[in-house]
């Protein structure tokens, strides 16, 4: 079956002008052009147009779409790649929606949102902007250069959830005046240390004490914790010491 350009436009929602442009640049060539100039499209052209539209949903430029379709060897390869990209986009969208909801909630209750959670779901450029101050601070004060050029956005977004969960729950326990050796506090530390050890870097009770002391002593990182709850950095350090004592 053959479809005219008008019928393809009606079927897909793509404008006639866009279809003409796709033909002009060689992105979507009709199956045939009649003697009187009518463009006719077949099922293969519709399949290619579907792939083009999937890439457009992913914000690919026409040049990038052309290259992507040229590089892939089969339709199943293209669709598989597009499925993966769209799933990742869906995850980022869900994260952004949750971040917006959390931002609204924080604003309504008059509570400052933790900095790391503010950027959950954001893209590479936004992560780089959010880490710029910390990067400059570490370089100036510790001669350590944080690599923000090769960051994995999906990994950072995923890793942002656990620190936020941990700090939120620790702040609640601190506001409730729980002692540093309270079972709930200690179980929270145990869970967080296990996460760090499994997902980020080898960590035990002793090395976590060192990290907590750094967060307490260092102005920049202490400020992050204290902006959530005054005294939280000292509470974290005290709790980590109690945890280490019980672990020995």
């Amino acid at each position: 079956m053959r479809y005219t350009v008008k019928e393809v436009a009606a079927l897909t929602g793509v404008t006639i002008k866009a279809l003409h442009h796709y033909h002009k640049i060689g992105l979507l060539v009709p199956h045939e052009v009649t003697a009187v100039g009518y463009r006719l499209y077949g099922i293969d052209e519709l399949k290619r147009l579907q792939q083009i539209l999937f890439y457009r949903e992913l914000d690919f430029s026409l040049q990038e779409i052309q290259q992507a379709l040229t590089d892939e060897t089969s339709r199943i390869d293209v669709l598989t790649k597009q499925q993966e990209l769209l799933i990742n986009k869906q995850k980022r969208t869900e994260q952004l929606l949750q971040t917006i909801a959390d931002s609204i909630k924080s604003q309504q209750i008059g509570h400052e949102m933790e900095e790391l959670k503010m950027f959950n779901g954001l893209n590479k450029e936004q992560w780089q902007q959010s880490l710029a101050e910390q990067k400059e601070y570490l370089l100036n004060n510790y001669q350590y250069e944080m690599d923000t050029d090769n960051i994995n956005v999906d990994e950072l977004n995923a890793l942002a959830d656990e620190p936020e969960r941990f700090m939120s729950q620790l702040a609640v326990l601190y506001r409730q005046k729980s002692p540093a050796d309270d079972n709930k506090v200690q179980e929270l530390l145990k869970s967080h240390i296990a996460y760090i050890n499994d997902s980020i870097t080898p960590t035990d009770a002793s090395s976590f004490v060192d990290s907590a002391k750094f967060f307490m002593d260092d102005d920049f990182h202490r400020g992050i914790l204290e902006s959530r709850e005054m005294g939280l950095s000292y509470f974290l350090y005290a709790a980590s010491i109690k945890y280490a004592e019980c672990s020995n």
Side-chain angles (χ1 to χ4, degrees):
M1 184 174 179
R2 300 289 181 262
Y3 300 87
T4 66
V5 69
K6 184 177 181 180
E7 290 171 330
V8 172
L11 179 66
T12 65
V14 179
T15 66
I16 294 175
K17 182 178 180 180
L19 290 169
H20 287 173
H21 182 62
Y22 293 170
H23 182 192
K24 180 180 179 180
I25 64 176
L27 182 60
L28 180 66
V29 178
H31 182 80
E32 65 176 297
V33 179
T34 67
V36 292
Y38 287 109
R39 296 173 173 86
L40 298 179
Y41 299 81
I43 188 63
D44 289 340
E45 288 71 45
L46 292 182
K47 288 179 179 179
R48 184 174 175 87
L49 179 56
Q50 181 197 50
Q51 293 168 343
I52 292 169
L53 295 180
F54 282 147
Y55 275 127
R56 291 297 281 169
E57 285 296 318
L58 291 162
D59 299 322
F60 277 49
S61 68
L62 294 181
Q63 184 177 358
E64 289 171 334
I65 295 172
Q66 182 81 278
Q67 187 62 52
L69 293 176
T70 300
D71 291 342
E72 297 296 346
T73 57
S74 69
R75 175 171 164 79
I76 191 66
D77 289 339
V78 174
L79 291 173
T80 300
K81 180 179 179 180
Q82 289 175 328
Q83 181 184 47
E84 180 182 348
L85 291 170
L86 284 167
I87 288 173
N88 289 336
K89 182 178 181 180
Q90 180 186 36
K91 289 179 180 178
R92 289 195 296 273
T93 300
E94 290 172 352
Q95 289 175 329
L96 285 170
L97 287 171
Q98 184 60 53
T99 300
I100 291 172
D102 291 341
S103 299
I104 292 172
K105 183 178 179 181
S106 296
Q107 193 69 29
Q108 288 174 334
I109 64 176
H111 182 72
E112 291 296 332
M113 195 173 179
E114 204 277 328
E115 286 90 341
L116 195 56
K117 191 175 181 184
M118 288 172 63
F119 298 94
N120 199 8
L122 299 181
N123 62 29
K124 181 176 179 178
E125 289 73 22
Q126 291 163 318
W127 266 110
Q128 288 173 328
Q129 291 173 12
S130 71
L131 294 172
E133 183 180 359
Q134 184 179 15
K135 178 179 180 178
E136 181 180 3
Y137 179 84
L138 291 173
L139 182 62
N140 292 338
N141 291 274
Y142 298 97
Q143 292 71 55
Y144 173 77
E145 186 167 4
M146 181 189 296
D147 182 11
T148 56
D149 293 329
N150 300 300
I151 58 177
N152 184 315
V153 174
D154 292 333
E155 184 177 297
L156 276 178
N157 287 332
L159 291 176
D161 290 336
E162 167 57 21
E164 169 59 23
R165 180 198 71 84
F166 172 69
M167 295 309 304
S168 293
Q169 293 183 20
L170 188 69
V172 169
L173 292 169
Y174 178 63
R175 285 196 296 271
Q176 293 173 348
K177 302 187 184 304
S178 301
D181 59 355
D182 182 85
N183 285 338
K184 290 183 180 179
V185 175
Q186 294 299 301
E187 284 298 316
L188 181 61
L189 260 67
K190 180 180 179 180
S191 171
H192 185 59
I193 291 172
Y195 173 83
I196 296 173
N197 192 54
D198 292 341
S199 304
I200 303 177
T201 186
T203 302
D204 58 17
S206 177
S207 59
F208 189 77
V209 170
D210 293 337
S211 296
K213 187 175 188 307
F214 173 76
F215 289 143
M216 180 182 68
D217 292 341
D218 182 78
D219 292 340
F220 180 87
H221 294 87
R222 183 176 63 250
I224 294 176
L225 271 66
E226 298 295 297
S227 66
R228 177 185 285 274
E229 201 72 43
M230 186 66 68
L232 187 60
S233 63
Y234 301 93
F235 182 62
L236 173 61
Y237 179 57
S240 69
I241 292 176
K242 292 294 183 181
Y243 183 79
E245 290 174 350
C246 294
S247 299
N248 294 330

